[in-house]
Amino acid sequence: ALHLDPKLGGYWSNLGFVGGGVVDGGEYDNKACFRKALQLDPTLPAAWTGLAAAGGGVVDGKEYDSKACIEKALHLDPKFAMVWIALGEVGGGVVDGKEY
């Protein structure tokens, strides 16, 4: 799918969830895929969740740890139930100004 349109963030996110891969001759691990997805479309909650699971990373020059990625995902989609579980696993956090 990425060979068809490497500018779609959702495709990069999906590639990250299967562990990464080779795109146009370049190798990408899962974290690189999630970062690329978020550079293309920072509104993808699944990509933020994937980046959290990969330990966080830099997106558009800003460092995000796992908790910040989870909080970002929940800001974008507060009904993403699995991410609420992840937030609990990291000790809670702040989503849209409210502490959980």
Side-chain angles (χ1 to χ4, degrees), residues 30-78:
N30 64 336
K31 185 181 279 196
C33 291
F34 295 128
R35 289 178 51 221
K36 180 72 171 176
L38 293 167
Q39 288 169 352
L40 294 168
D41 185 354
T43 67
L44 294 170
W48 284 106
T49 304
L51 188 60
V58 177
V59 177
D60 289 333
K62 182 176 178 186
E63 180 73 37
Y64 292 87
D65 64 10
S66 291
K67 183 185 276 192
C69 292
I70 291 166
E71 291 170 342
K72 186 78 168 175
L74 288 171
H75 166 74
L76 294 167
D77 185 358

Side-chain angles (χ1 to χ4, degrees), residues 1-34:
L2 287 170
H3 297 290
L4 299 175
D5 192 349
K7 293 183 178 146
L8 291 177
Y11 291 156
W12 283 99
S13 182
N14 290 342
L15 186 61
F17 280 110
V18 297
V22 177
V23 178
D24 294 331
E27 282 195 43
Y28 297 86
D29 64 10
N30 64 336
K31 185 181 279 196
C33 291
F34 295 128

